[in-house]
Each structure stands twice: as structure tokens, then as C-alpha cells.
């Protein structure tokens, strides 16, 4: 097969880390943890299989119990969680890889049937759709509006979770302020109806994301902290309003911290907000291309377009999910495995998780039915 030459396969540096290539495995919720959020040995296998990525950003882990979104997602607020994640980071490091851990609080994207707790949010505005629980899809509940004390405690929980992540062997963490979860809910006008210092004008709505990021940076060092945002994303019922003002303002506040990177979900280099953010952000920018199909030609072309527009690293989710040897396949222009939607999430076990074949293995059987079509974009 032809060996493709592209900047994607060139080495890069990220906050003192030597990356063998510019391809990042994006965080994707897979629901393979124990019920209490402890990572499993199967997860160590899954991530070690994908250690050829320049960087792996592990799936969202909750910083506290009330932040849980779905059943069997990971957490990082107890010593059992730290020990479970240590198995994962050891396996990836033994395979030659490097990992950050994403920290995510679901906010209103949660349910008492899952966590045993009433979700909290900037305002008592419920998710406008059902949510998956151990009892199946259930109507969302009205979240409890966070008090000033709740906010203070949650900021501290993020900082403590970041310290736990470092203790578990991660090189750093990614603060998740995207995809309609808690931090994004503070940014959006339809989920943040507050009239105190955390609501109203853009400068106040960005405050919570900024304070969480600043606290995490103070705890473990800014060069070990990334921030993930998704400008204009409407997933989980979000209507930001003032998108082109929110993100430049956030970049202005956090740009001087010396963060490891800024990660833009579903990056479109033709949008004004992408151009403004790239021009203003002083550090590493991770772009996440919107793919039209699962083919090496599409992945390479979309990724190279983002590099040309100013991204430094390229985050890919589903291509890495279905192709443990994605870097090799892209180098060779080899066909990619299609993702089997049925096993994306809400189903445990190795099927559709660790059984995707490498090039020298037999192709896996594909399934045409999908039980997660409505949820896939919400958790990526």
C-alpha cells in the first residue's frame, strides 16, 4: 500500500510531552465502568489498543456524585476510582501512549434513578428530552438551581478531581465546557437564567467555566490543563446566544494562563468564531473535524484542512473508536472499520469495544441496527 506523507504524522510537542504524531483520540463516553464509576480492566485493554495516537484524551469522568450523567460512566472522586484509572494509564504507558483525562459534570444531564441525587444546574430548567437511566429512557427532572455555596464546592471538586487524575497517572486533564453539560449550561442563555454574578451578560456567563479552569490550573499546573468547548453546539437542548461573543471573551480571560491547549468540538474553519478563536488563542489549538464519511480519504482531507486553518493537533473520535490501529490505517490509506452503533454505549462488554480488528485480523461483523442514534452526538 502507498505510504501517505502529511503533517498529521509529524511529531509535536504539548506542554513538555513529545507526541509521535498530531492525531488525538477524542474523549467518547462508552459506559464500560463499574456502576460506581470505577474503571475496569476491559477499559485498560481498550485504551492500550489505541496507544499509537499522539495523545489519548480519556472519556469524561465526573468530579463528584451529583455530576453523573448516565449509568456506568467513569468517575474520579474516590480512591477506588484512582486505582481503577491507574490500571488504564499503566497499560497505555506500557504500550507507548500518553493520556489526559476529561473532567465532566453533567449538570441537568442527569437523573435520580442513576445517581440517587437530584441534578444541579445554573437554573431550574430541565433537559427538554428523555435521558437514559438504569431503568431505560426516563423523562428528565427539574434540576436544583445551584447556590453560591454549591458553585464554590463544585469548583473545589474539579480541582480535587484533577489532583486525583494526576495521582492516577494521567499527564493532564481536560476541563469539559461543551456539549450541553454543566459548564456549557452556564454559558448558554436558555439554561442560565441567573441574575447574580454568574448570569446575564456574557462576562458573567463565562465566569463559572473560567473559575473551574483557573482552580484546576492552580491545583496541578496550567501546562497540564486543557479546555474543551463547542461553540454554537445545540446538543442537549442548548441555545447559547451571542456565540461569537462568548468564546473570544473566554479566550481573553484564560489566554494568559498558559494552558496546555484549547479543544474545539466539531471545528469548522470557515466560521467566524473559529477564525476569531484561532487568532486570539496564544497556545495549542486542537481541532475536531466534522466527517462526512468513515474513509481514510475523508479523515485525511478534513484533518489537513483544519491544520491549514491553524489547528495544531487533530482530535478524532469515532475513527479511533472503530479502528485501534487508526494511525497505521491512515498512513497506508487502508479501509477503515465502520462503527457498530448498536454497541456504542448503554451496553457493556467487549463486543463493539475491544473486538474491532486491526489490519491483520479478520473484519468484524457489522450491525445495521442502532439503539443509540439519538444519543451519539450528545456524548462525544
Amino acid at each position: 500500500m502507498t505510504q501517505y506523507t502529511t503533517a498529521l504524522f509529524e511529531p509535536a510537542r504539548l506542554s513538555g510531552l513529545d507526541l509521535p504524531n498530531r492525531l488525538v483520540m477524542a474523549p467518547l463516553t462508552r459506559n464500560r465502568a463499574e456502576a460506581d464509576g470505577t474503571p475496569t480492566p476491559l477499559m485498560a485493554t481498550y485504551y492500550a489498543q489505541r496507544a499509537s495516537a499522539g495523545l489519548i484524551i480519556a472519556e469524561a469522568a465526573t468530579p463528584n456524585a451529583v455530576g453523573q450523567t448516565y449509568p456506568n460512566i467513569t468517575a474520579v472522586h474516590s480512591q477506588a476510582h484512582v486505582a481503577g484509572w491507574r490500571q488504564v494509564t499503566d497499560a497505555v504507558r506500557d504500550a507507548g501512549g500518553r493520556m489526559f483525562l476529561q473532567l465532566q459534570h453533567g449538570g441537568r444531564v442527569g437523573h435520580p434513578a442513576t445517581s440517587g441525587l437530584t441534578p444541579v444546574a445554573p437554573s431550574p430548567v430541565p433537559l427538554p428530552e428523555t435521558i437514559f437511566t438504569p431503568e431505560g429512557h426516563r423523562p428528565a427532572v427539574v434540576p436544583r438551581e445551584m447556590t453560591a455555596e454549591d458553585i464554590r464546592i463544585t469548583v473545589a471538586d474539579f480541582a480535587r478531581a484533577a489532583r486525583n487524575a494526576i495521582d492516577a497517572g494521567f499527564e493532564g486533564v481536560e476541563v469539559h465546557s461543551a456539549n450541553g453539560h454543566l459548564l456549557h449550561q452556564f454559558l448558554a442563555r436558555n439554561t442560565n437564567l441567573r441574575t447574580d454574578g454568574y448570569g446575564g451578560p456574557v462576562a458573567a456567563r463565562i465566569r463559572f467555566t473560567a473559575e473551574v479552569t483557573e482552580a484546576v490550573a492552580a491545583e496541578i499546573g496550567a501546562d497540564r490543563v486543557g479546555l474543551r468547548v463547542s461553540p454554537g453546539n445545540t446538543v442537549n437542548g442548548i441555545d447559547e446566544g451571542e456565540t461569537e461573543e462568548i468564546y473570544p471573551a473566554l479566550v481573553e480571560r484564560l489566554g494568559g494562563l498558559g494552558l496546555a491547549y484549547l479543544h474545539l468540538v466539531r471545528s469548522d474553519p470557515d466560521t467566524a468564531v473559529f477564525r476569531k478563536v484561532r487568532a486570539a488563542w496564544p497556545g495549542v489549538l486542537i481541532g475536531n473535524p466534522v466527517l462526512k464519511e468513515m474513509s481514510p480519504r475523508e479523515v485525511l482531507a478534513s484533518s489537513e484542512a483544519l491544520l491549514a486553518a491553524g489547528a495544531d493537533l487533530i482530535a478524532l473520535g469515532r475513527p479511533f473508536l472503530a479502528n485501534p490501529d487508526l494511525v497505521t490505517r491512515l498512513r497506508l490509506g487502508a479501509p477503515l472499520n465502520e462503527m457498530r452503533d448498536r454497541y456504542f454505549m448503554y451496553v457493556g462488554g467487549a463486543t463493539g469495544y475491544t473486538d474491532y480488528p486491526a489490519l491483520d485480523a479478520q473484519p468484524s461483523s457489522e450491525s445495521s441496527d442502532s439503539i443509540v442514534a439519538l444519543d451519539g452526538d450528545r456524548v462525544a
Side-chain angles (χ1 to χ4, degrees), residues 167-187:
D167 291 345
F170 288 96
E171 275 79 20
V173 301
E174 176 177 278
V175 174
H176 192 26
S177 185
N179 295 4
H181 297 291
L182 180 64
L183 275 63
H184 199 188
Q185 292 160 27
F186 269 88
L187 297 179

Side-chain angles (χ1 to χ4, degrees), residues 62-70 73 104-107 109-110 115 117 120 181:
T62 59
N64 56 30
V66 75
Q68 184 176 3
T69 51
Y70 308 107
I73 67 165
Q104 173 196 278
H105 188 303
V109 185
S115 68
L117 301 167
V120 297
H181 297 291

